[in-house]
Amino acid sequence: LLQGDPLPVKVRNLTSDKTEDSYFYYYLPYCLPRNVLDHVNQSAIVRKDLIKSSPYEFKMLEPQMCNVVCRTTLSSKDAKEFKEKIDFGYRVNMILDDHPLFNPYNRSRRCSLGYHRGFPVGMKILSAEKMEHKYFINNHLTFTIKYYKDEKTDAARVVRFEVKPLSVKHKYEGEWSDKLNLTNCDSLAKYSGTGNDSLQDVEDEKEIIFTYDVEFQESEITWDSGWDSLFCSVDSHNIHWASIFHSALLSFIFTTILLWCMEPKINSDISKFDAWETQEEGAAATEEENEWIVRGDAFRPPANSDLLCVFAGTGVQCFGMVLVTMVSAALGFISPSNRTGLMTKLLFLWVFMGIFAGYVSASLYKRFKATRWKKITLMTSFPGIVFIILFILSAPSWEEESWGAVPFGNMFALVLLWLGIFVSLVSVGSYVGFEKPAIKDLPSANRIPREIPKQSWFMNPVFTILIGGMFPFGVVSVELFFIITSKWLDQFYCILGFLFLVFIFLVIICAQMTIIFCYNQLRGEDYLWWWRSFLNSGSSGLYLFLYVAFYFTKMNGAKPVSGVLYFGYLLIASFTFFLLTGTVGFFACFLFTRHLYSSLKID
């Protein structure tokens, strides 16, 4: 940008770290521009982010001092709304040249600057005289725009957008006019007066004048590195490395069990079975010793097999989306500054991965000798749980004019996207998967199911499912804490390299743990491993739900609508994690079982 080029400031929704409710910027009686323009796309809708034009008008490298935006008089309703938003700690969010607004503050323990996204609507101070809180609004904004100047082209690029909010009771002489100079503004936009009397209080019929300053500071920070100090803190890297070490240690333990304990036992069992099957001379094995093989029942179709196929197909869809996103993030293709681009990519990946969901669900469905592939296509392509939850969440939020849920019109647009593209891709994948020849190298099921003997207490389904979910959750718990903290404080999570490593260990441990449980289950002559393998690792979604639900206790005085939104979106996230981890465990057990029985010499 060159000197004098316009710098439009855009406003975003009001957010709070005490509640999941967010509101339009103009829900409060802030100053309106001449024309309120929408700057929103489908990805912004998904992440509940409404962007509109603002009355703040900047020009590159042209400072401004004590500019008046507007003057307004609060009604009783306006004053009540401002006080409520101040009580809940709502913050105003803005964007300049795709850079979010930050409010710097001093971190006393670290002797360095920290950054909050946006600035608070106001503050409340306890009055010593009346022993009650008085509310003050931040009506003056001192903006600081830091830029990096290219010496070759003499052009400048914004690298940081900061603000210092102030509450100022402006004064003027005579009757009000747009060209009137405020008496408490000097040439440097400093204000006279100290104490609460100089602050702009929020009361019925109070006059409020909104003003702002703009200053430009040249910086040596380049655009690509300007985000590091805002989002990434090297102080926490030791914690992340400790988490990686913990995951690697857990994976090493499981690997040791598989290679040193289970593999020799499996090879011995297979040799004994082959000796018994071929009636080799000197074979010591008997039929009773090999009953754990349960070869005639191991691949018997499970109960509710169509639902298992849908879960497995949708889990592959989630896995593919997360994998591509993680690889892109690790390679630096995802920037924390471009949330809109990130959400667009995620939405595109989710829709595109529908073809793999259809293929996997139909292939598995055909393996169970089912023939109604159109039924499984419709079940896979209908994200019923998600849509039902979204509608339930949106109803009370529409009534309260909250932006915490997807607006009705925008949800209708998402439905059209689902019907027009996603269903078609799932149908194509299902058709290809069903036309593919079924797997033929597996033993067929006996006509009469054999009786399952009583299992040991440690192989009880409830026990293995609850214990199995603890290991995958333990792998992600540390990174989950940082992700929740970033979301809670409306900040960015940018340590994507660590997250990718954790994802790799999550997949490995889900697979290893499920194989260990699956093998011991077969040795106990329990052939109902289909759903067990899915639930053993998928139960980590339950732990994720309970862990994040604990954070709701920090929402002091949260509205019922906030609780509904919080637990609704948490339910969607936990169910997605359940599908992802459950699918990894299921296919690990399926491939292991298939390899095990294909190694046997069965006539």
Side-chain angles (χ1 to χ4, degrees):
L1 297 174
L2 299 175
Q3 183 172 359
D5 287 345
L7 287 173
V9 178
K10 303 170 187 176
V11 292
R12 299 172 56 189
N13 42 327
L14 308 173
T15 58
S16 169
D17 58 5
K18 295 182 180 180
T19 174
E20 277 293 296
D21 269 340
S22 58
Y23 291 86
F24 304 120
Y25 174 80
Y26 294 114
Y27 178 82
L28 295 178
Y30 281 117
C31 302
L32 292 169
R34 295 176 183 176
N35 296 309
V36 179
L37 303 177
D38 290 334
H39 302 272
V40 65
N41 54 32
Q42 202 62 40
S43 63
I45 294 170
V46 174
R47 69 173 194 272
K48 306 176 297 178
D49 192 9
L50 184 67
I51 303 173
K52 289 183 175 288
S53 58
S54 78
Y56 297 96
E57 300 177 355
F58 304 163
K59 290 186 178 181
M60 191 65 182
L61 302 178
E62 293 185 4
Q64 302 179 35
M65 298 296 176
C66 205
N67 274 15
V68 177
V69 185
C70 73
R71 182 188 66 139
T72 185
T73 301
L74 298 181
S75 65
S76 58
K77 180 182 178 182
D78 295 338
K80 180 182 178 181
E81 290 292 345
F82 269 118
K83 289 180 180 180
E84 182 182 272
K85 299 303 176 284
I86 293 173
D87 275 331
F88 280 94
Y90 273 90
R91 304 182 71 85
V92 179
N93 298 284
M94 297 182 177
I95 299 175
L96 176 70
D97 194 26
D98 286 335
H99 284 261
L101 180 66
F102 284 91
N103 177 207
Y105 67 96
N106 291 317
R107 294 188 288 190
S108 57
R109 294 183 179 180
R110 301 180 184 178
C111 299
S112 61
L113 280 179
Y115 296 89
H116 287 306
R117 290 191 64 198
F119 63 90
V121 172
M123 56 186 171
K124 60 180 181 180
I125 300 176
L126 183 62
S127 174
E129 299 176 357
K130 299 182 179 181
M131 295 303 295
E132 62 180 15
H133 284 103
K134 293 197 66 176
Y135 293 82
F136 304 95
I137 186 175
N138 288 320
N139 61 321
H140 179 84
L141 305 176
T142 300
F143 294 105
T144 300
I145 301 175
K146 296 184 178 181
Y147 64 94
Y148 177 78
K149 194 169 185 179
D150 191 340
E151 298 179 355
K152 297 180 180 180
T153 61
D154 203 33
R157 185 167 189 178
V158 177
V159 295
R160 193 164 297 175
F161 184 33
E162 299 176 0
V163 67
K164 179 182 179 182
L166 297 171
S167 180
V168 179
K169 183 179 290 185
H170 287 297
K171 300 176 182 178
Y172 59 91
E173 296 178 354
E175 295 184 1
W176 174 261
S177 66
D178 293 339
K179 298 182 179 180
L180 186 67
N181 291 325
L182 301 175
T183 58
N184 59 334
C185 278
D186 58 21
S187 59
L188 297 177
K190 303 298 182 182
Y191 305 100
S192 59
T194 57
N196 293 351
D197 294 337
S198 64
L199 304 179
Q200 179 60 63
D201 54 338
V202 178
E203 295 294 343
D204 185 15
E205 301 300 327
K206 279 287 184 178
E207 179 186 72
I208 299 178
I209 300 173
F210 291 91
T211 56
Y212 69 93
D213 304 334
V214 183
E215 62 177 358
F216 291 84
Q217 294 181 3
E218 186 172 0
S219 174
E220 296 182 356
I221 300 174
T222 59
W223 182 87
D224 55 351
S225 62
W227 299 91
D228 296 345
S229 60
L230 295 175
F231 313 124
C232 301
S233 173
V234 296
D235 298 338
S236 63
H237 280 192
N238 290 336
I239 301 176
H240 293 283
W241 280 119
S243 172
I244 297 297
F245 176 77
H246 163 263
S247 302
L249 180 62
L250 187 60
S251 178
F252 175 77
I253 293 174
F254 281 146
T255 302
T256 303
I257 294 174
L258 286 171
L259 296 181
W260 291 358
C261 300
M262 282 184 54
E263 186 178 15
K265 181 62 177 175
I266 292 173
N267 292 334
S268 175
D269 290 335
I270 292 175
S271 299
K272 289 180 180 179
F273 177 82
D274 291 342
W276 169 77
E277 185 73 14
T278 57
Q279 297 181 352
E280 291 180 357
E281 185 178 355
T286 65
E287 184 173 0
E288 289 74 15
E289 290 176 323
N290 289 286
E291 282 189 352
W292 73 270
I293 297 297
V294 290
R295 62 189 184 279
D297 295 279
F299 290 94
R300 182 180 302 280
N304 301 313
S305 58
D306 50 353
L307 184 61
L308 178 63
C309 295
V310 173
F311 278 11
T314 308
V316 169
Q317 182 184 8
C318 297
F319 180 84
M321 183 187 69
V322 173
L323 179 62
V324 174
T325 303
M326 291 292 180
V327 173
S328 301
L331 296 177
F333 294 136
I334 294 179
S335 171
S337 66
N338 191 3
R339 277 191 169 182
T340 299
L342 173 60
M343 293 305 300
T344 301
K345 293 173 184 176
L346 289 176
L347 189 61
F348 170 78
L349 284 173
W350 175 259
V351 173
F352 176 74
M353 290 296 170
I355 193 169
F356 296 99
Y359 177 83
V360 171
S361 59
S363 300
L364 193 59
Y365 191 64
K366 186 176 183 179
R367 165 65 190 84
F368 296 141
K369 302 187 184 306
T371 57
R372 298 192 296 172
W373 70 274
K374 294 181 180 179
K375 172 189 173 182
I376 205 68
T377 300
L378 291 176
M379 292 179 63
T380 306
S381 60
F382 180 68
I385 294 178
V386 175
F387 271 109
I388 291 172
I389 293 176
L390 284 178
F391 271 109
I392 293 175
L393 296 181
S394 300
S397 297
W398 292 335
E399 183 178 352
E400 293 202 3
E401 301 182 44
S402 169
W403 188 238
V406 181
F408 180 79
N410 297 329
M411 183 175 289
F412 183 72
L414 291 175
V415 172
L416 291 180
L417 178 66
W418 162 62
L419 288 173
I421 302 178
F422 181 67
V423 174
S424 301
L425 291 175
V426 172
S427 301
V428 171
S430 297
Y431 179 79
V432 175
F434 203 80
E435 289 296 319
K436 179 183 177 182
I439 303 173
K440 297 181 179 180
D441 58 344
L442 302 178
S444 58
N446 296 332
R447 292 183 179 181
I448 302 176
R450 66 184 298 163
E451 183 180 354
I452 299 176
K454 185 179 180 179
Q455 302 295 301
S456 303
W457 65 269
F458 54 84
M459 288 306 297
N460 183 278
V462 176
F463 181 80
T464 60
I465 290 172
L466 292 178
I467 292 297
M470 294 176 62
F471 297 109
F473 175 76
V475 173
V476 302
S477 58
V478 174
E479 296 305 315
L480 182 63
F481 167 79
F482 285 98
I483 292 174
I484 294 173
T485 303
S486 300
K487 176 66 175 70
W488 198 266
L489 301 178
D490 197 23
Q491 296 176 349
F492 290 109
Y493 176 88
C494 69
I495 313 178
L496 303 176
F498 285 108
L499 189 61
F500 181 59
L501 290 176
V502 168
F503 177 72
I504 293 175
F505 281 115
L506 173 67
V507 173
I508 294 174
I509 289 174
C510 281
Q512 292 175 327
M513 178 268 301
T514 309
I515 289 174
I516 293 174
F517 279 132
C518 184
Y519 173 70
N520 285 280
Q521 182 180 348
L522 292 174
R523 282 195 59 84
E525 300 180 44
D526 184 357
Y527 51 85
L528 302 178
W529 59 270
W530 297 94
W531 276 108
R532 284 274 293 276
S533 62
F534 198 100
L535 296 175
N536 281 341
S537 55
S539 60
S540 55
L542 173 64
Y543 290 98
L544 185 146
F545 182 89
L546 296 176
Y547 180 76
V548 183
F550 169 75
Y551 280 77
F552 186 75
T553 59
K554 298 184 179 181
M555 289 187 177
N556 298 324
K559 297 180 180 180
V561 174
S562 299
V564 172
L565 288 172
Y566 186 86
F567 283 100
Y569 288 117
L570 173 58
L571 185 61
I572 293 175
S574 302
F575 184 69
T576 303
F577 192 69
F578 160 75
L579 291 176
L580 191 152
T581 53
T583 299
V584 172
F586 169 76
F587 279 105
C589 186
F590 177 77
L591 295 175
F592 166 76
T593 308
R594 180 184 174 187
H595 173 73
L596 175 65
Y597 285 96
S598 63
S599 302
L600 301 176
K601 296 179 181 179
I602 302 176
D603 295 334

